[in-house]
Amino acid sequence: MNRFFLSCQACLVVCLLIWPPSSTQAEEGASRSEVYKNVARLAAVGDKLFHDPRLSASGVLSCASCHSEKAAFAPDNALSVQYGGVDMAQRGHRAVPSLKYLQNVPQFTEHFFDSEDEADESIDNGPTGGLTWDGRANTQAEQAVIPLLAFFEMGQQAPQDVVRRALSAGYGEALKALGPYLQTTDLFQVITKALEAYQQDWRRFYPYSSKYDAYLAGKTVLTPREHKGLELFEDPEKGNCASCHKSQPGNDGTPPQFTDYGMIAVGVPRNRALPFNQNPKVFDLGLCGPDRTDLKQYAEYCGLFRTPSLRNVATRQTFFHNGFYHSLRDAVAFYVLRDTHPERIYPVGKDGRILKYDDLPKQYQENINMDPPFGPQPGNRPVLSDDEIDAIVAFLKTLTDGYSDTQKRSDATP
C-alpha cells in the first residue's frame, strides 16, 4: 500500500503553509527535509499533549482518557457517555467515537455527489462527511477544539485557558518554536494543529492491519463462518450492511473504510440512563441540534447522525450515538428486530403501547431509514436468523487491527 497516498490533511496543510519556493533541486531537497522535521516535531508535541491531563480544568482528564490506544482510540470502558468537567462529575449526551480511520473523511456537505459507478456522478447522497456524530468539524484540528472547551469534557472556558495550562505544563518553548512554521502566533491554534498532526501517524491511527485486510491482500483466508458473515453483510436482501458500511476496495484500489460517511436516522432507542434524557421534552436531534446549530431549521435533517466506520467495532463496549447498546451482537440484532419485533427493542408505555422510535419526536420520524434490513417483513419474520446474526458478528471481528503474521500463516494453512 502506498502510505503517501493516504497522507494526512494536517501534514498537507502544514506543508502548504511552510514550504518555501526553491530554485534548485538541492534547495528543494533541503526544504523538504526541513518540512518533514517540523511536521515530526509538531506530531511529537501533539503526542504529549494528547496524553497530558494538565490541559483539562480538572487536571486529571486527557484526550487519551476517553480515546485509549488499547481500545482503538475509543473508551476502554462500557459507559454510555464519559465523565468530565471541572469536578469530573459532568456527562454529555453522546458516546465517544473512535479516532481511528478518520484520515479520508470528506468535509461536510449537504449535497454529496458520488457513485460507485465512475460514469455516474449525478446521485445526490445528501448530507455527508465531517467529523463528530453531526459532522460539524471538518478537520481534526477543529474537532480538537470541541472537547477542550466542552464543560462536560476538558472543561476549559476559553482558548486562552487551554494555552495558560499548556504554558504552565512546560510546553511554551516548543509551541512558540512551532508557531513560525505554522505562520501564526496563536498558541491555541498550534496546540490544535499539533493534536491533528499526531493523529496522522498511520501506524497508530490507520494501519489497515486487520484480518480482513490480510484477506483482501490474499495473505490469509476467512473461516467458513466469517465468510458467511461477509456474504450476509453484503447481501442487499439480507444484512445489507455494506450499503452504508462499504466493504470492498475503492475503484482506485484504496482499502474499504466501512463507512460511506453519510448521515442517517436509524431510530435507536432512547437511553434513559443519560442525565440529558431525564427531561422527556429534550432530544438529541443530531444534525439539527443541539450541538450543531447551523442546520436546526431543516426538519429533514433531524435525527440524522454520521455513519461511523466499523473498523475495530468488535473492540467497542458501547454502540450508537447515545451508547444505548453494550453488546456488538445486540447492536446487529437491532437492525433486524426494530420493525419486526419492536417489543424486543423499545419500552412499553403506561397504556400498553410500544413506544417505537421513542428518541425522536413524531414530526421527525419520517426521517428514519426504512431500507433493508429495516422495514416490515412478511409474517414479521426477521431477514436474519440468530445464526446469521452470529455469522455477521464473526465477520465484524475480522476488522480488528493487529492481525499478526503468525495468525496469517496459521489461518492460511489448509
Side-chain angles (χ1 to χ4, degrees):
M1 181 188 304
N2 187 341
R3 298 293 179 185
F4 184 76
F5 180 80
L6 295 172
S7 59
C8 65
Q9 255 186 354
C11 295
L12 283 175
V13 170
V14 172
C15 292
L16 289 172
L17 282 173
I18 67 178
W19 203 319
S22 299
S23 58
T24 69
Q25 288 186 341
E27 290 174 344
E28 183 177 336
S31 177
R32 183 180 292 111
S33 176
E34 189 63 22
V35 167
Y36 291 153
K37 288 180 182 178
N38 290 323
V39 170
R41 292 188 188 108
L42 191 65
V45 173
D47 187 346
K48 292 179 181 179
L49 292 168
F50 188 89
H51 294 88
D52 198 331
R54 292 175 293 178
L55 264 62
S56 66
S58 66
V60 298
L61 186 71
S62 70
C63 302
S65 299
C66 296
H67 297 284
S68 170
E69 185 168 2
K70 68 180 181 181
F73 288 96
D76 59 2
N77 58 53
L79 294 174
S80 294
V81 298
Q82 303 299 303
Y83 286 90
V86 176
D87 56 2
M88 288 300 294
Q90 307 304 312
R91 288 190 289 171
H93 47 277
R94 292 179 185 168
V96 174
S98 170
L99 294 180
K100 296 193 82 169
Y101 295 99
L102 300 179
Q103 77 285 357
N104 288 334
V105 178
Q107 292 194 351
F108 176 80
T109 178
E110 291 185 61
H111 304 282
F112 184 72
F113 292 90
D114 192 19
S115 173
E116 293 180 0
D117 181 358
E118 291 184 332
D120 183 6
E121 298 291 336
S122 64
I123 300 175
D124 184 354
N125 294 287
T128 301
L131 303 173
T132 73
W133 285 106
D134 55 19
R136 69 187 186 279
N138 279 322
T139 69
Q140 287 169 307
E142 291 179 9
Q143 185 276 329
V145 174
I146 297 172
L148 286 170
L149 302 183
F151 79 91
F152 52 83
E153 294 187 75
M154 307 289 274
Q156 300 291 6
Q157 295 186 13
Q160 56 265 33
D161 296 327
V162 180
V163 172
R164 185 177 64 253
R165 283 189 169 268
L167 295 177
S168 177
Y171 291 99
E173 184 177 342
L175 295 174
K176 291 173 183 176
L178 288 166
Y181 297 105
L182 291 172
Q183 297 185 356
T184 182
T185 58
D186 183 344
L187 295 187
F188 184 69
Q189 183 180 17
V190 178
I191 289 171
T192 59
K193 284 292 184 183
L195 289 169
E196 180 178 51
Y198 165 65
Q199 293 175 66
Q200 306 309 319
D201 180 349
W202 66 263
R203 295 170 184 82
R204 286 175 167 169
F205 288 93
Y206 46 103
Y208 296 99
S209 60
S210 71
K211 180 177 182 178
Y212 187 64
D213 291 304
Y215 164 74
L216 290 177
K219 296 180 179 179
T220 192
V221 294
L222 300 181
T223 67
R225 191 165 188 76
E226 291 167 347
H227 197 274
K228 180 63 175 178
L230 172 59
E231 291 179 339
L232 293 165
F233 186 93
E234 295 182 331
D235 188 339
E237 300 300 323
K238 298 293 285 185
N240 196 33
C241 314
S243 63
C244 293
H245 298 282
K246 304 300 183 183
S247 56
Q248 291 300 311
N251 292 325
D252 55 3
T254 54
Q257 303 303 305
F258 282 88
T259 175
D260 62 358
Y261 309 113
M263 301 287 177
I264 188 172
V266 296
V268 178
R270 187 175 180 85
N271 190 344
R272 287 171 168 75
L274 302 183
F276 177 86
N277 286 336
Q278 296 308 301
N279 184 341
K281 296 181 179 180
V282 172
F283 293 89
D284 184 354
L285 300 178
L287 205 55
C288 69
D291 296 342
R292 183 165 193 159
T293 59
D294 59 322
L295 300 173
K296 62 183 180 181
Q297 70 273 29
Y298 296 100
E300 66 270 27
Y301 292 167
C302 293
L304 274 64
F305 295 87
R306 188 168 67 80
T307 301
S309 170
L310 293 184
R311 285 182 172 274
N312 296 292
V313 69
T315 68
R316 297 299 305 261
Q317 300 180 59
T318 299
F319 302 89
F320 296 108
H321 70 276
N322 63 1
F324 181 86
Y325 287 106
H326 299 278
S327 156
L328 178 57
R329 192 191 188 284
D330 288 345
V332 176
F334 160 76
Y335 285 87
V336 297
L337 297 176
R338 189 195 75 180
D339 296 316
T340 56
H341 290 282
E343 74 280 1
R344 296 170 59 181
I345 300 296
Y346 299 100
V348 176
K350 294 180 180 180
D351 58 1
R353 291 188 299 176
I354 299 170
L355 302 177
K356 196 173 181 181
Y357 311 143
D358 63 329
D359 204 27
L360 196 61
K362 288 185 178 180
Q363 66 265 35
Y364 304 132
Q365 290 181 6
E366 62 182 17
N367 298 339
I368 293 176
N369 186 274
M370 297 300 290
D371 293 340
F374 293 134
Q377 302 295 325
N380 267 5
R381 184 176 181 178
V383 296
L384 296 174
S385 67
D386 286 345
D387 186 67
E388 289 173 328
I389 291 173
D390 291 336
I392 288 181
V393 171
F395 165 67
L396 291 174
K397 291 179 179 180
T398 71
L399 304 183
T400 301
D401 286 329
Y403 186 62
S404 71
D405 289 336
T406 299
Q407 290 172 304
K408 293 175 189 176
R409 289 191 293 270
S410 175
D411 288 348
T413 302

